[in-house]
Amino acid sequence: MTKSPSHKKRKKRVTKRSSSKDSIKRYIFLFLLVVGTAFTIFFTVKKLTVEPNDFESNKYFIKGLDVSHHNPILNWEIVMEQDISFAYLKATEGTSHEDRNYPYNYDLAKKTNIKVGSYHFYSFGLSGKEQAAHFIKIAKCKSGDMLPAIDVEHSPANPYSKDPTYIALVIEELKVLENELYEFYGVHAIIYTNKDCYKLYIKNKFPNNFIWMSDLHKEPSKDINWRIWQFSHKGELPGIVGDIDLNYYRYSFDEFKELLLP
């Protein structure tokens, strides 16, 4: 039977509507694909850039904190209950500054089984000899405590500069400071730093010193002689008010004694 012209027209309209629906479906699919990809990228980047706020590693089991007057005086009994093995406490800075919370945190932490260490915030450009004398006078580094530590990082008081003379002075006085501590304690201090300062002031210049590396995004390079990894400035622990710095020791409990004063 011959189809009427009107029937042919209807078929074409149906075909056009069908084609239009297919186009809409494709657009919806592409839109969902783009949105899904965007969300995947967003959460991947977020995971790589946002600092962890707790101890979540399945690789490292020896956990530590570091504190200064920027943190409240801690309840160290509660800290110990979180399976914290060690804590570094800021003792001094420059040639005259004393951390106000240091003596209290030290005495309270020593009453627990937590291993305690003391650190000095190195002031660029000031006498390394005078800074060492200041730390030795204030810090309570006793047998069984952790190695003394030197904090080397940029700050408003320690500005970054490309000037070779400035960089050389920073390194020179840091060497004096480190040597003075070595002469007094009989051990090399552990040096706290970050990737930028490590490249500028530490790399190939302090071969006998363990490194305490701050890297908030990824594990420090295996090429670095690091022993402690500070992986967060935003730690949250039960019973502790405010953010706190979190750290891992690199190796086993048996090897951890390499960081203790004889």
Side-chain angles (χ1 to χ4, degrees):
M1 184 173 65
T2 303
K3 296 178 181 178
S4 66
S6 60
H7 182 79
K8 289 181 179 180
K9 290 180 181 179
R10 285 197 301 271
K11 184 176 180 180
K12 287 181 181 180
R13 285 197 294 269
V14 169
T15 302
K16 288 181 179 179
R17 284 198 297 270
S18 177
S19 176
S20 178
K21 288 180 179 178
D22 289 341
S23 296
I24 292 172
K25 288 179 180 178
R26 282 197 294 270
Y27 287 134
I28 292 174
F29 173 78
L30 289 173
F31 173 77
L32 293 175
L33 182 63
V34 170
V35 171
T37 302
F39 271 104
T40 300
I41 293 172
F42 172 79
F43 285 109
T44 300
V45 171
K46 183 178 180 181
K47 185 176 181 181
L48 292 173
T49 57
V50 174
E51 297 174 41
N53 59 10
D54 58 11
F55 295 99
E56 57 186 22
S57 174
N58 294 319
K59 183 177 180 181
Y60 301 111
F61 301 99
I62 302 179
K63 302 180 289 188
L65 308 176
D66 61 277
V67 300
S68 69
H69 65 274
H70 295 294
N71 308 101
I73 297 171
L74 303 187
N75 183 326
W76 290 94
E77 291 291 340
I78 293 179
V79 173
M80 188 176 64
E81 292 173 0
Q82 311 305 315
D83 294 324
I84 303 300
S85 298
F86 68 92
Y88 264 104
L89 318 173
K90 182 179 179 181
T92 53
E93 179 176 339
T95 59
S96 59
H97 176 78
E98 302 174 29
D99 190 281
R100 62 178 180 268
N101 289 350
Y102 172 71
Y104 307 104
N105 275 322
Y106 183 89
D107 290 343
L108 292 170
K110 285 287 287 184
K111 294 177 181 178
T112 70
N113 291 326
I114 297 170
K115 293 298 182 182
V116 182
S118 304
Y119 76 87
H120 173 78
F121 188 92
Y122 172 55
S123 292
F124 294 3
L126 297 185
S127 165
K129 189 178 182 69
E130 292 181 16
Q131 292 191 64
H134 179 48
F135 178 79
I136 291 168
K137 178 182 177 182
I138 301 300
K140 303 178 180 183
C141 298
K142 301 177 181 179
S143 177
D145 284 355
M146 300 186 72
L147 300 178
I150 304 171
D151 183 342
V152 182
E153 60 181 310
H154 294 128
S155 71
N158 289 342
Y160 165 77
S161 173
K162 294 182 179 180
D163 180 13
T165 302
Y166 173 83
I167 294 173
L169 178 62
V170 171
I171 295 170
E172 178 184 357
E173 293 302 331
L174 179 56
K175 286 184 174 181
V176 172
L177 167 60
E178 195 282 330
N179 187 65
E180 289 289 315
L181 297 186
Y182 174 74
E183 291 294 328
F184 186 83
Y185 294 108
V187 295
H188 290 286
I190 187 169
I191 297 177
Y192 168 94
T193 191
N194 53 47
K195 289 187 291 186
D196 292 337
C197 289
Y198 177 80
K199 292 175 183 177
L200 279 171
Y201 315 117
I202 312 300
K203 186 177 181 180
N204 300 326
K205 299 174 182 67
F206 295 88
N208 298 315
N209 299 80
F210 293 140
I211 301 300
W212 173 7
M213 181 63 75
S214 175
D215 194 324
L216 307 180
H217 305 303
K218 63 180 181 178
E219 178 181 304
S221 169
K222 293 180 180 179
D223 297 333
I224 299 172
N225 188 30
W226 68 273
R227 287 302 186 274
I228 299 176
W229 170 24
Q230 183 190 79
F231 63 91
S232 178
H233 292 324
K234 298 184 179 298
E236 298 177 2
L237 295 177
I240 296 178
V241 178
D243 296 337
I244 196 163
D245 296 344
L246 305 181
N247 304 267
Y248 288 122
Y249 170 68
R250 185 175 187 176
Y251 297 121
S252 69
F253 281 97
D254 185 58
E255 293 166 296
F256 180 72
K257 58 191 177 186
E258 69 179 350
L259 294 187
L260 302 181
L261 284 165

